[in-house]
Amino acid sequence: MKNNSLKIHDKDNILVVIAELKQGDKIICDEIHFEAPRNFAIGDKLTLTALKEGDKIVKHGLPIGSATCAIAAGEWVHLHNMKSDYIPTYIPEKVPS
Amino acid sequence: MSIQAYLREDGKKGIRNVVLVVALVECAKHVAEQIVRSFEYLDDGREVQLMTWSGCYPNDYSQKIIGNMATHSNVGAVFFVSLGCEGMNRAALEDKVLKSGRWTEIMVIQENGGTATSIQKGKERVNKALEKIASTPRCTMEVDELIIGTICGGSDATSGLTANPAIGGAFDELVAQGARCIFEETGELIGCEKLIKDRAVNEEVAKALVASIDQASRYYHQMGHGSFAPGNAAGGLTTVEEKSLGAYCKSGDGLISGVIAPGDIPDKAGLYLMDVVPVGNPMFGFPNPSDNSEIIEMIASGSHLILFSTGRGSVVGSIVSPVIKICANPTTYQNMSGDMDINAGTVLTGDTTLKEVSQEIVELSLAVANGQRTLSEALGHRESVLLYKGGMVEKTLCG
């Protein structure tokens, strides 16, 4: 089967989903396989490895923020479990879960 | 692979052979346009192109950019069209072009009997210029003599996933082979200050990089332009760092050798950030309100060709240097394939990898340098924009 997720940079610890996926679908990036823990839209991210609170989230080979709690491998990464190291992201509504 | 280039008398090597007709004020544009329109692209690669400066009041920045375009490696001869009373210093421009060894003349419309006679005379003189550049000697050119700029325009969520990182990979390869590569958009590096600092060749360059992003942040704040919008989060992005990195990754992984001002030409191999934001308070509006105002700055800094990343689908090209369009979005590619030189959207459909697209970009860059026309060239795109700007001139710092 074709890849439906993308590891943009060798140093990344997340995958970016590049297809619309339903919960339970297989997430594939070459030899890496996960089961989708939720529905995913294009551009959503999931962890490649388990992360501890405070670990950097690495995309494009560089940190885009850090984990605000422990995140298991294959979990969705978004504003409910990570934050900016630069400036808080302003979201007017409740983050969808 | 060696590139077959054009050798100019000042030693510059070009990949195109252009007669540039420059209208020195909007009032001279119609005459200049009519002159240029009468010439077709010639089979041997010679071409007549139009550059226009719309303003009358003089401006150091625009004077510098026109001077650099007129002495660009891809330009063999220059014909200036002046109304006669405008503020642009045409004598200084003529002097700069003559010193470079290129053929040049100025035609003043007020001294040539007005529109009709000026168009007629202009056509004759441009014919003369075309004859002159027909005998431009050819020479071989290596990758380490190329200058390549990159920009993104009409971006969407796919730009940061496919085309931009693929261009980054191509830049890494080209810099490794000794090319000079230029990226810009300091306004889109906001949030990346700590990251970019670590890529500087030395402490001085690190400071200049951070200062240029700080300046962009101040400038955009005063212009009332925010960066991270709630819609970005709905589209899968989380933080300003993540959003900015999607643009920043066009620069690849390598060390950054310096910060350059528009029109300054880096003199050794490496990767350079072009700081397009004026120092101080906003004076003339947004730093670069259209993609072509940025492209022209990269060409004025010596770029032989431009790598243009687009997701939504831009169609533009440029005068003087060819533009290679790399389409990030597979759906856009399907809709606009006649405008897109490379389909990076194949990464999203799982048909190629980023590394393969990077390689394709490097190979096409060399083919275009060797004379292959890009789609925007073949379609006749010759956009050019030159703006009023201030406070750009003394910012270049190279490590």
Side-chain angles (χ1 to χ4, degrees), chain B residues 24 80 92 187 203 306 325 360 373 386:
Chain B
L24 292 173
F80 292 106
E203 194 54 37
I306 302 292
K325 283 213 291 301
E360 194 182 342
R373 302 184 90 203
L386 181 56

Side-chain angles (χ1 to χ4, degrees), chain B residues 308-351:
Chain B
F308 189 124
S309 154
T310 184
R312 298 286 294 170
S314 170
V315 299
V316 303
S318 180
I319 55 165
V320 175
S321 296
V323 174
I324 296 175
K325 283 213 291 301
I326 299 141
C327 185
N329 185 323
T331 310
T332 304
Y333 183 82
Q334 276 186 339
N335 292 339
M336 301 176 72
S337 60
D339 286 282
M340 303 300 165
D341 297 284
I342 288 179
N343 178 10
T346 50
V347 174
L348 287 189
T349 52
D351 296 312

Side-chain angles (χ1 to χ4, degrees), chain B residues 207-229:
Chain B
K207 277 188 193 144
L209 288 167
V210 173
S212 70
I213 302 172
D214 286 348
Q215 170 58 15
S217 180
R218 269 197 303 277
Y219 199 100
Y220 284 105
H221 183 73
Q222 287 183 11
M223 296 294 290
H225 174 86
S227 182
F228 196 95

Side-chain angles (χ1 to χ4, degrees), chain B residues 109-128:
Chain B
I109 296 170
Q110 289 167 349
E111 295 168 6
N112 277 282
T115 300
T117 45
S118 294
I119 292 171
Q120 191 47 45
K121 181 185 171 184
K123 286 179 187 173
E124 288 162 24
R125 301 316 294 158
V126 169
N127 252 321
K128 176 83 184 162

Side-chain angles (χ1 to χ4, degrees), chain A residues 2-3 6 8-10 16 18 43-45 59-60 62-65 78-79 82-87 89 91-92, chain B residues 160-161 190-191 193 195 228 230 233 236-242 245-246 248-249 253 347-349 351 354-355:
Chain A
K2 277 184 181 178
N3 286 345
L6 180 63
I8 297 174
H9 191 281
D10 290 340
V16 179
I18 58 175
D44 283 343
K45 295 176 287 295
K59 181 184 177 186
H60 298 292
L62 292 163
I64 60 167
H78 202 56
L79 287 165
M82 68 167 288
K83 64 172 179 65
S84 172
D85 295 325
Y86 183 80
I87 190 169
T89 302
I91 300 294
Chain B
L161 298 179
I190 295 166
E193 292 88 337
L195 315 173
F228 196 95
L237 296 177
T238 54
T239 60
V240 67
E241 298 99 297
E242 182 177 16
L245 281 174
Y248 175 53
C249 64
D253 273 344
V347 174
L348 287 189
T349 52
D351 296 312
L354 283 171
K355 286 190 173 69

